[in-house]
Amino acid sequence: MPFFVSRKNFESEISKRAAEACDQVISQMGAELHDDLIQKLSIFRLYMDRIERSSSDPAEIETLVIKMKSDFEQVTRAVKNLSRRLLPVRMEGDTLIKMLETLCLTMEHPGTGHVHFSTEGDPIPMSEQVEMHVLRIAQELIQNAFKHSAAWHIWVRVQWQANKLVMEVEDDGSGFSRIPEFINRLKKKNNTLKMRSQAIGASIDYRQGTKGLLAKLILHTNR
Ligand SMILES: Nc1ncnc2c1ncn2[C@@H]1O[C@H](COP(=O)(O)OP(=O)(O)O)[C@@H](O)[C@H]1O
Ligand SMILES: [Mg+2]
């Protein structure tokens, strides 16, 4: 952090960016409601009309019911997904692992994007503030993977070592050739990933993963 930036300014800048990110998520959810969920629900009106018209054709009705069941499943999943995202991230007594697990579930895009979570070792207790920064870093990395790389799978791996927390977020989205360019952009940009890592004294590093980008956060702690 440059010496002329006070801690207070630094923190208010992080809050400002966090609020912007929050607005973005709300708009995304609004768009999902409007373009996806309402679309899916209006199809049911058509189904009902078709059932009415096919009253003398049991085979046709059966086909329609099968389709309706599968569409209804999708509607339920979409509503569940939206409602999970509206819940507060931290419930009383939640550990960082629990919050990360919930985050990974919440950020899944049913059918198109999977977020896998794993953890190894004994969790190290940390302050609530540090945990929230780690959580938001994970959230932004997952968001980036979906937004910029067309990933099908994202792996969030947490390792608790003797005196440090290592968190990796890897996606399978980008072609090899463009990764160096993305890494360059991420390193140059003064984004919330950089700011939050600095705020908690962690390092964040990007490299080529097996199929996409691999981000690694290392946070030294005194157990
Ligand atoms: N997982 C990723 N795969 C490919 N490119 C990425 C990934 N994450 C980030 N990038 C690239 O790095 C840039 C900077 O990311 P970021 O600082 O989060 O800004 P923003 O998401 O607002 O564009 C992105 O615009 C994108 O080009
Ligand atoms: Mg981003």
Side-chain angles (χ1 to χ4, degrees):
M1 183 187 339
F3 65 88
F4 49 82
V5 180
S6 74
R7 178 102 215 154
K8 204 166 154 230
N9 281 348
F10 188 64
E11 264 157 23
S12 79
E13 182 64 25
I14 298 182
S15 307
K16 199 179 107 206
R17 304 259 188 123
E20 281 166 11
C22 209
D23 282 346
Q24 230 182 48
V25 171
I26 292 173
S27 319
Q28 264 174 21
M29 288 171 67
E32 249 165 73
L33 260 172
H34 179 268
D35 304 338
D36 185 48
L37 192 56
I38 295 183
Q39 264 331 325
K40 283 188 175 125
L41 284 172
S42 33
I43 291 177
F44 280 82
R45 172 79 228 179
L46 298 178
Y47 277 138
M48 285 178 225
D49 291 346
R50 282 172 65 185
I51 285 181
E52 237 169 28
R53 272 187 272 125
S54 326
S55 55
S56 55
D57 184 352
E60 172 69 9
I61 292 183
E62 200 183 327
T63 315
L64 283 169
V65 168
I66 292 172
K67 279 196 194 139
M68 277 173 89
K69 273 190 185 158
S70 129
D71 283 358
F72 191 71
E73 190 101 355
Q74 281 192 29
V75 171
T76 317
R77 256 192 266 151
V79 175
K80 256 194 206 152
N81 204 280
L82 283 171
S83 75
R84 271 205 220 111
R85 280 157 75 177
L86 286 169
L87 287 172
V89 258
R90 183 168 217 136
M91 309 285 237
E92 216 177 318
D94 270 0
T95 59
L96 175 59
I97 293 296
K98 174 82 191 137
M99 289 191 291
L100 282 167
E101 227 165 36
T102 311
L103 175 79
C104 292
L105 259 177
T106 308
M107 294 189 77
E108 287 242 335
H109 294 217
T112 54
H114 301 284
V115 189
H116 312 271
F117 177 70
S118 65
T119 173
E120 239 177 69
D122 289 332
I124 307 170
M126 296 181 298
S127 78
E128 208 167 279
Q129 207 187 3
V130 170
E131 289 190 344
M132 280 319 279
H133 281 304
V134 173
L135 186 79
R136 296 298 183 202
I137 288 171
Q139 185 173 15
E140 171 62 10
L141 288 171
I142 299 170
Q143 190 121 308
N144 270 352
F146 280 134
K147 187 161 124 196
H148 301 296
S149 84
W152 280 88
H153 294 276
I154 298 169
W155 293 269
V156 178
R157 297 182 287 260
V158 170
Q159 262 181 47
W160 302 95
Q161 297 181 7
N163 279 315
K164 64 182 171 191
L165 159 69
V166 180
M167 181 171 76
E168 290 183 337
V169 178
E170 179 172 358
D171 66 66
D172 65 351
S174 308
F176 271 103
S177 56
R178 298 201 61 198
I179 294 266
E181 176 194 333
F182 297 145
I183 294 179
N184 207 21
R185 268 189 228 163
L186 276 160
K187 283 193 172 156
K188 274 197 191 141
K189 208 164 163 188
N190 191 28
N191 52 20
T192 48
L193 293 167
K194 198 180 271 179
M195 297 175 85
R196 289 186 191 279
S197 321
Q198 271 183 28
I200 58 175
S203 66
I204 189 159
D205 186 41
Y206 306 95
R207 64 186 70 163
Q208 171 88 61
T210 311
K211 279 191 182 159
L213 184 80
L214 168 59
K216 190 171 187 168
L217 178 87
I218 301 182
L219 171 62
H220 289 272
T221 58
N222 23 6
R223 199 190 272 269

